[in-house]
Amino acid sequence: MTDQTTADTAAASDTTSADRPLRVAIMGAGPAGIYAADALMKSGENVSIDLFERMPAPFGLIRYGVAPDHPRIKGIVTALHKVLDKPQVRLLGNIDYGTDITLDDLRRFYDAVIFSTGANADRALKIPGIDLDGSYGAADFVSWYDGHPDVPRTWPLDAEKVAVLGVGNVALDVARVLAKTGDELLPTEIPANVYEGLKANKALEVHVFGRRGPAQAKFTPLELRELDHSPNIEVIVDPEDIDYDAASEDARRNSKQVDMVANTLQDWAIRDVGERPHKLFLHFFESPHEVLGDDGKVVGLRTERTQLDGTGNVKGTGKFNDWDVQAVYRAVGYLSQNISKLPFDDQAGVVPNEAGRVVADDTAEGKARFMPATYVTGWIKRGPVGLIGHTKGDANETVANLLEDRPAFAQPEDAREDAIIEFLEEKNHPYTTWQGWYRLDAHERALGEPEGRERVKVVERHDMLKASEPDKA
Ligand SMILES: Cc1cc2nc3c(=O)[nH]c(=O)nc-3n(C[C@H](O)[C@H](O)[C@H](O)COP(=O)(O)OP(=O)(O)OC[C@H]3O[C@@H](n4cnc5c(N)ncnc54)[C@H](O)[C@@H]3O)c2cc1C
């Protein structure tokens, strides 16, 4: 593919000139990477940015995490388009850092590298039975319903009663998608295989479990209230589960968001249960203790009843409840992956950093504290929490530090903008571009048009690559 936008090749080819553009590689074209490109361009410095992405399409978890029935959030890509439309930034997709390109390669072509590789795996939950057949990580299910090319095309949805562990927005997404009907989700961008799978979904009851109480739930008010908007979902809260200690009351007083969530849950706890066909129970003070199995398959969930200890935390009561469910989804947090040649904090799931500067592995006396010209931003910088908008502040901080460090950067071997293109062409590695995204985008919209849908997502990687190529969409 040769339709690269070259900003100012002539200036960049002068590798020794002090006034050539600052060449920056950003690894990962999710919101954090795109906001970092934006911050670099807005700095007023002469910059030339290559935004690398392992998927053939950009936008990270906006495309492969945000639920399909959240078109308003997915619409954030419109704002991100404006960043990628700028001539100082090129998208180079379908390139996996660590496999298709290494840190040494990047050092040859760029003054600095920013890693914004996000998070795409499930945090482990260490309870007996978690590996049984029918026990799933939320991230895998999300990847399936969001049409990620690297997960299987089918998903077993034969359980009538399902447990979802966790009380954050991802748990809500998973519970809502499980409780809605396939037809309710059809107007969204879900691909055909996902629609077929959801249409065959047998779930009638979805039980969401939180260890702590309503004041400790991590839901955002809007996402919580949205559960109740489906004509097919009856949201049920047990009045026994509404309880607050002094710390919970403080939390409600100090945070409007906490108070709104608690009020919504209270309202639901005191109303009559209606007739909508799918029941979605929100349980509190139930700590997952064991996934129960028979013949290797999930047949239930055992929880321990907990109670508040006065500090907003909970302690076990020794009273156990068994729930008749045939599938368990754990939505207990996302986890970032180790990045080749970078230090990694396995516990926190982040690259150790100070305000975006990557802390070197060996920080013994006399050694540099930071890896040279190496930065992180977004979820890989501070862990997998927070909304898309939060990655903007991350990016501003990281970029400010990168620019401050600029005088100390080593001169790359070949800072020409074409050098990386020659490198990729030499390897004969198929990569996608921003123009390619416009083609794929148009192709997906065209697929949706006959059915009056905004788009239908293309799933297979080779189909995405094909649709991204000139004149083949
Ligand atoms: C299920 C789910 C639902 C969410 N819903 C919402 C919502 O409704 N509203 C909201 O505001 N926020 C939502 N979020 C949060 C939001 O998605 C994150 O805040 C945001 O995506 C984090 O941005 P990021 O760029 O750090 O990571 P990511 O979005 O994960 O982007 C990282 C990018 O790096 C790429 N990458 C990874 N490894 C490599 C590699 N080795 N080489 C090249 N590229 C690589 C990935 O493919 C990805 O494109 C949701 C998150 C999840 C998990």
Side-chain angles (χ1 to χ4, degrees):
M1 297 180 201
T2 52
D3 59 348
Q4 298 304 303
T5 308
T6 45
D8 189 351
T9 309
S13 65
D14 179 1
T15 57
T16 55
S17 163
D19 58 12
R20 68 168 170 80
L22 177 73
R23 294 279 289 136
V24 181
I26 301 178
M27 310 311 294
I34 299 174
Y35 282 131
D38 193 34
L40 278 163
M41 287 187 282
K42 284 184 174 150
S43 70
E45 298 286 333
N46 183 12
V47 291
S48 153
I49 304 155
D50 287 334
L51 186 52
F52 291 84
E53 169 55 49
R54 70 147 59 122
M55 306 305 297
F59 306 125
L61 284 170
I62 302 181
R63 185 173 167 97
Y64 292 120
V66 171
D69 56 350
H70 280 172
R72 195 181 53 82
I73 307 291
K74 298 243 179 212
I76 293 175
V77 299
T78 313
L80 300 182
H81 258 241
K82 291 186 188 131
V83 178
L84 282 153
D85 277 337
K86 299 254 169 68
Q88 298 98 312
V89 57
R90 288 187 300 202
L91 175 73
L92 298 170
N94 200 43
I95 298 173
D96 184 34
Y97 170 81
T99 313
D100 304 320
I101 197 158
T102 66
L103 190 57
D104 286 343
D105 297 329
L106 295 173
R107 296 262 188 253
R108 277 171 58 205
F109 304 127
Y110 298 93
D111 294 289
V113 188
I114 301 176
F115 288 88
S116 48
T117 48
N120 65 359
D122 283 291
R123 191 168 271 284
L125 178 68
K126 291 187 180 120
I127 58 170
I130 200 72
D131 294 325
L132 286 166
D133 195 6
S135 167
Y136 310 106
D140 291 337
F141 181 55
V142 167
S143 292
W144 173 76
Y145 69 58
D146 256 343
H148 195 293
D150 300 341
V151 300
R153 294 297 158 266
T154 55
W155 192 272
L157 289 165
D158 39 16
E160 286 190 3
K161 295 179 186 175
V162 181
V164 177
L165 313 183
V167 281
N169 283 346
V170 176
L172 285 186
D173 282 348
V174 167
R176 197 180 63 251
V177 170
L178 284 167
K180 278 188 172 178
T181 62
D183 283 334
E184 227 179 321
L185 288 159
L186 182 60
T188 70
E189 61 181 32
I190 50 168
N193 68 300
V194 174
Y195 171 60
E196 291 306 325
L198 292 172
K199 219 166 73 162
N201 179 12
K202 297 203 170 59
L204 295 172
E205 283 185 20
V206 178
H207 296 261
V208 178
F209 293 93
R211 279 177 55 242
R212 301 193 287 165
Q216 287 77 36
K218 299 278 178 259
F219 308 135
T220 48
L222 203 69
E223 279 244 327
L224 179 65
R225 283 200 296 257
E226 186 200 336
L227 273 189
D228 209 32
H229 298 165
S230 162
N232 294 304
I233 306 177
E234 198 63 53
V235 188
I236 301 166
V237 179
D238 186 340
E240 293 277 306
D241 286 359
I242 305 295
D243 193 19
Y244 309 104
D245 60 2
S248 309
E249 296 293 2
D250 275 352
R252 289 183 67 176
R253 265 191 299 276
N254 295 334
S255 161
K256 205 171 164 199
Q257 178 155 318
V258 170
D259 194 46
M260 284 162 87
V261 166
N263 280 330
T264 301
L265 293 168
Q266 261 169 236
D267 290 346
W268 289 347
I270 54 170
R271 70 180 176 185
D272 293 334
V273 175
E275 296 295 319
R276 290 183 249 189
H278 296 169
K279 310 294 179 213
L280 198 161
F281 297 84
L282 296 172
H283 303 282
F284 298 94
F285 302 113
E286 298 288 352
S287 176
H289 183 76
E290 182 178 353
V291 181
L292 305 172
D294 185 26
D295 206 15
K297 289 201 176 78
V298 172
V299 295
L301 175 75
R302 180 164 299 157
T303 58
E304 183 180 7
R305 189 75 186 161
T306 62
Q307 64 190 29
L308 288 160
D309 67 1
T311 68
N313 224 322
V314 288
K315 54 186 181 200
T317 61
K319 181 178 176 291
F320 293 87
N321 293 315
D322 286 358
W323 307 85
D324 170 27
V325 293
Q326 301 85 44
V328 172
Y329 291 75
R330 62 178 191 282
V332 293
Y334 269 52
L335 193 65
S336 296
Q337 308 288 296
N338 207 329
I339 300 181
S340 163
K341 302 284 179 200
L342 258 62
F344 195 69
D345 178 340
D346 289 308
Q347 204 52 38
V350 297
V351 170
N353 71 92
E354 283 176 23
R357 293 181 172 110
V358 174
V359 174
D361 245 345
D362 181 359
T363 53
E365 210 176 314
K367 297 260 172 80
R369 175 144 183 78
F370 300 110
M371 278 181 83
T374 311
Y375 303 86
V376 282
T377 192
W379 275 15
I380 191 68
K381 173 185 178 185
R382 65 174 160 78
V385 283
L387 298 174
I388 294 161
H390 296 140
T391 63
K392 199 170 187 170
D394 285 341
N396 289 341
E397 181 186 64
T398 294
V399 164
N401 284 329
L402 180 153
L403 293 173
E404 192 181 301
D405 298 346
R406 183 179 185 177
F409 289 165
Q411 178 71 24
E413 192 183 306
D414 191 348
R416 290 175 307 122
E417 287 178 344
D418 283 346
I420 184 68
I421 304 303
E422 290 163 11
F423 170 84
L424 293 170
E425 304 272 345
E426 216 167 275
K427 288 181 77 153
N428 212 9
H429 182 82
Y431 61 91
T432 56
T433 63
W434 183 232
Q435 291 77 12
W437 161 253
Y438 268 105
R439 290 183 203 106
L440 174 58
D441 184 42
H443 179 62
E444 290 187 337
R445 287 176 190 278
L447 289 177
E449 208 179 313
E451 299 165 38
R453 298 164 65 187
E454 192 181 323
R455 75 169 66 234
V456 175
K457 239 184 207 170
V458 174
V459 181
E460 302 293 342
R461 189 178 279 264
H462 61 85
D463 291 338
M464 293 175 77
L465 289 172
K466 196 157 169 262
S468 303
E469 285 174 14
D471 305 318
K472 288 194 184 153

